[in-house]
Amino acid sequence: MDNKNLPNALSRLPEEIGCSARMRQYGQVALDALKNLSNADTESLFMAINEERAKTVTAREILEGNRFNVPSSVDVRALHDVEGMFYDKMPDVDFIDIAPLQPMGLSMFLTGTSEKKIVSSTRNSEANADPTNSLFRIAYNEFKDTPVRIATHCRSTRAQNFGENSKLLPHFKTFCQVSVGRQGLRHGEEEIRSLLAHLNSELSVLRSLIPEENLSVSVSNVLFSKELVRIGMLDKETLRKDMRNYSQEKYDVRAIKMRDSGEVLRVLEEQGVQSGVKIFKLFDEVLKEDFPHLVDKLEIDLNRVAGMDYYKHMCYKVVGFTEEGEPIPLDDGGTTDWAQKVGGRKDIYTVTSGVGTELLTKNFVRKDENGN
């Protein structure tokens, strides 16, 4: 943060993070002390503060830890096997081991994610919260003329509190991949081809572990979602509240089949929806030409509002059903405008995706007592 913005930032602290009365009392003192410091001096100050705080930590505090320190309950051997499947199924993808820390503000700059959901550190850094952000930095810097497609399997940390009874940890492992390339003569074609390549490769792993009839694969266009919200056919707030409601009943009514895309477009156009039609038609065309085996596997989800501010247009989601019929969200991917954000490059596309390997392993990988 530029220190000239500190006055506004500190004035918002009570409302945004629920500061104590003591913090409000001494907020002006802190402001007066910090507002004239350079960024480098501010970093030095916080490092010194943390060093002094560390000297006061008790043995009990060390042993008890906090919610960020709870270890994962996933079977590490099983998770290792799942990780190996991605390597085996994607021989042409370059895998890298990304750094655990990334530049401060990376997630907010690319995706608008609030820093309240990020674990920030000193030294102008933050913990990995979305590995696709980290991969994008690498891919964009590597890109010259040949498309770059890279992937990683790593643990992410997010600061939001899921509630006392939640089984979700603030850290989890995911497989993520990012592609960066040039749009080509027909704008959007290579972008869509890359998106479908991501989906196809990830499905090859998921189908190795989950029966095909227990997988729901849906595609959406966030441009459609924005238009449907605008004309009042979708209630964004109601749908957002329901986003984490992965109940069996929610999936009893399946989405429209992709093979009926023409009928979907006709209905949308009757409602006056124009934004997103061209790229959706291109998606349908590339799908049938290059990935015909996926046509009857995909469904169209017109109710998706998740990712409206994250993805640029086309995106997908894969949900797996356990033997008990419980839906588990496993895979999410789509197109983004990140190349435009960092370099103003409309001729460069970015495709990102990720599979929750920890969720996948916990819910769909079973090992017997012999480890098989």
Side-chain angles (χ1 to χ4, degrees), residues 177 195-200 202 217-220 304 311 314-318 331-334 351-354:
Q177 57 177 328
L195 177 67
L196 285 166
H198 278 223
L199 174 59
N200 189 55
E202 290 157 6
V217 188
S218 61
V219 296
S220 302
R304 174 167 181 162
Y311 295 125
M314 298 302 302
C315 54
Y316 61 79
K317 177 180 284 293
V318 182
D331 189 5
D332 208 277
V351 170
T352 76
S353 61

Side-chain angles (χ1 to χ4, degrees), residues 105-357:
L106 172 66
S107 294
M108 178 175 282
F109 185 90
L110 291 180
T111 69
T113 302
S114 169
E115 284 295 317
K116 291 182 287 184
K117 298 180 180 180
I118 307 298
V119 178
S120 303
S121 74
T122 57
R123 295 175 172 83
N124 204 31
S125 298
E126 63 187 34
N128 268 316
D130 183 346
T132 59
N133 298 167
S134 309
L135 287 173
F136 168 73
R137 287 186 57 246
I138 300 167
Y140 186 82
N141 285 328
E142 286 185 0
F143 174 73
K144 297 298 184 286
D145 292 312
T146 305
V148 176
R149 182 178 175 187
I150 56 177
T152 191
H153 186 239
C154 70
R155 188 163 293 278
S156 301
T157 303
R158 294 185 185 174
Q160 66 259 49
N161 197 328
F162 296 105
E164 292 183 4
N165 299 320
S166 175
K167 296 180 181 179
L168 297 176
L169 292 175
H171 61 84
F172 48 89
K173 269 209 166 181
T174 54
F175 158 82
C176 296
Q177 57 177 328
V178 165
S179 292
V180 172
R182 201 174 303 281
Q183 289 284 7
L185 295 177
R186 190 159 61 152
H187 192 86
E189 182 174 1
E190 293 306 316
E191 182 176 26
I192 293 301
R193 186 168 286 113
S194 178
L195 177 67
L196 285 166
H198 278 223
L199 174 59
N200 189 55
S201 63
E202 290 157 6
L203 280 177
S204 69
V205 176
L206 295 176
R207 286 171 175 162
S208 299
L209 296 167
I210 306 171
E212 194 163 304
E213 61 270 19
N214 288 353
L215 287 173
S216 169
V217 188
S218 61
V219 296
S220 302
N221 186 342
V222 297
L223 296 178
F224 288 168
S225 301
K226 291 176 180 178
E227 281 285 274
L228 292 172
V229 168
R230 181 184 63 80
I231 63 179
M233 293 190 68
L234 285 185
D235 185 333
K236 182 169 67 172
E237 294 309 314
T238 299
L239 289 170
R240 278 187 168 167
K241 290 178 182 178
D242 192 46
M243 278 194 304
R244 297 188 182 277
N245 176 27
Y246 286 98
S247 62
Q248 179 66 60
E249 293 76 16
K250 183 176 179 179
Y251 284 89
D252 283 343
V253 179
R254 311 293 275 190
I256 307 160
K257 298 297 181 183
M258 189 66 202
R259 60 175 175 266
D260 298 323
S261 58
E263 180 65 15
V264 172
L265 286 173
R266 184 187 66 80
V267 173
L268 288 173
E269 289 174 348
E270 285 180 354
Q271 297 297 324
V273 174
Q274 297 180 350
S275 178
V277 170
K278 183 177 179 180
I279 195 67
F280 184 82
K281 288 180 177 178
L282 185 57
F283 178 90
D284 193 33
E285 181 181 327
V286 174
L287 173 67
K288 291 173 180 176
E289 288 179 356
D290 292 8
F291 301 89
H293 59 286
L294 292 180
V295 173
D296 288 332
K297 313 298 182 186
L298 304 187
E299 301 164 339
I300 304 170
D301 183 1
L302 293 176
N303 290 318
R304 174 167 181 162
V305 294
M308 280 178 58
D309 301 319
Y310 188 99
Y311 295 125
K312 185 171 69 171
H313 43 66
M314 298 302 302
C315 54
Y316 61 79
K317 177 180 284 293
V318 182
V319 174
F321 294 84
T322 65
E323 293 177 356
E324 296 74 29
E326 180 185 3
I328 306 294
L330 294 174
D331 189 5
D332 208 277
T335 60
T336 78
D337 62 354
W338 297 349
Q340 295 176 43
K341 287 184 175 179
V342 300
R345 300 290 301 274
K346 291 185 178 181
D347 61 321
I348 304 299
Y349 67 79
T350 305
V351 170
T352 76
S353 61
V355 177
T357 52

Side-chain angles (χ1 to χ4, degrees), residues 28 38 52 195:
Q28 188 60 48
S38 67
E52 291 303 311
L195 177 67

